[in-house]
Amino acid sequence: MPTMNFRQIKRKLPDGSVYTEPRNFLTNPPKKGEAASTPGVLIGGYPEHQADPYNRKDQLAREQAKRDKAKMQEQPFKSMVYGEKPFFDDKSTYGGENPKGRVKRPSTYAGIQHDRAFIPPNPMREGSTLAPFPEHMPEPYDPAIKKDNREIVPWKTTYKERTKPSVSVSSMVVNLRTEYPSLRHR
């Protein structure tokens, strides 16, 4: 049988003191109960109740409105200049003669000189828009004559009955029961 050689651990330092190792992890057994119902099971316990106003959102909105109103002027701004003009003219604001950057350049186009006058390839018929204007023709209809309001007869109906419900509405069970109380309990 082979002999086992065990390594000896020296736990003493050269000065004679004992060498100690750091402690290992220590654990506790889990707590009994459910986290939602048993007190003391949660890591931090139950939080303490803190009162909160019911209308906190409305209260904050009112405070914000007061702060905003305090910053406003007593009267709205009113310009004393006639018309919808800015405070200063464009020349003093932007400087220069043409502040918007548009430069009006003179046209150098002189036109094209043709040998002959223009003749359309398919001339239009007589009486069209390129021909001379037609002579004036009087209005063929008589002017409108207004009738006096007293002469107009008011509208009259052409039938005797003014209201006549449709058959589908008048024969509904609900309408029959309201019209004839004896049918209500059937």
Side-chain angles (χ1 to χ4, degrees), residues 175-186:
N175 294 338
L176 288 174
R177 286 182 180 166
T178 56
E179 194 169 338
Y180 302 106
S182 61
L183 297 176
R184 285 187 186 168
H185 298 291
R186 288 188 182 182

Side-chain angles (χ1 to χ4, degrees), residues 55-116:
N55 292 334
R56 181 71 176 152
K57 182 180 175 185
D58 297 336
Q59 182 183 1
L60 291 175
R62 280 193 296 273
E63 291 172 2
Q64 181 67 31
K66 285 181 185 177
R67 285 195 300 267
D68 293 345
K69 194 166 187 177
K71 294 177 185 177
M72 292 178 65
Q73 299 177 1
E74 293 178 11
Q75 291 182 346
F77 174 76
K78 183 177 179 184
S79 176
M80 302 305 290
V81 178
Y82 175 74
E84 297 179 3
K85 298 177 185 175
F87 293 112
F88 303 103
D89 60 337
D90 291 342
K91 189 172 183 180
S92 63
T93 304
Y94 300 111
E97 292 295 323
N98 199 353
K100 300 211 167 72
R102 297 187 207 127
V103 178
K104 293 183 180 177
R105 298 185 181 119
S107 176
T108 57
Y109 179 71
I112 299 174
Q113 301 297 326
H114 293 281
D115 298 336
R116 297 184 313 175

Side-chain angles (χ1 to χ4, degrees), residues 17-33:
S17 61
V18 178
Y19 173 74
T20 58
E21 297 175 351
R23 293 180 73 182
N24 205 349
F25 289 106
L26 298 177
T27 59
N28 288 335
K31 296 182 179 181
K32 308 283 187 206

Side-chain angles (χ1 to χ4, degrees), residues 8 57 109 137 139:
Q8 272 190 334
K57 182 180 175 185
Y109 179 71
M137 200 168 87
E139 188 68 34

Side-chain angles (χ1 to χ4, degrees), residues 42-58:
L42 291 176
I43 292 175
Y46 283 120
E48 292 183 18
H49 174 71
Q50 294 179 348
D52 189 23
Y54 179 72
N55 292 334
R56 181 71 176 152
K57 182 180 175 185
D58 297 336

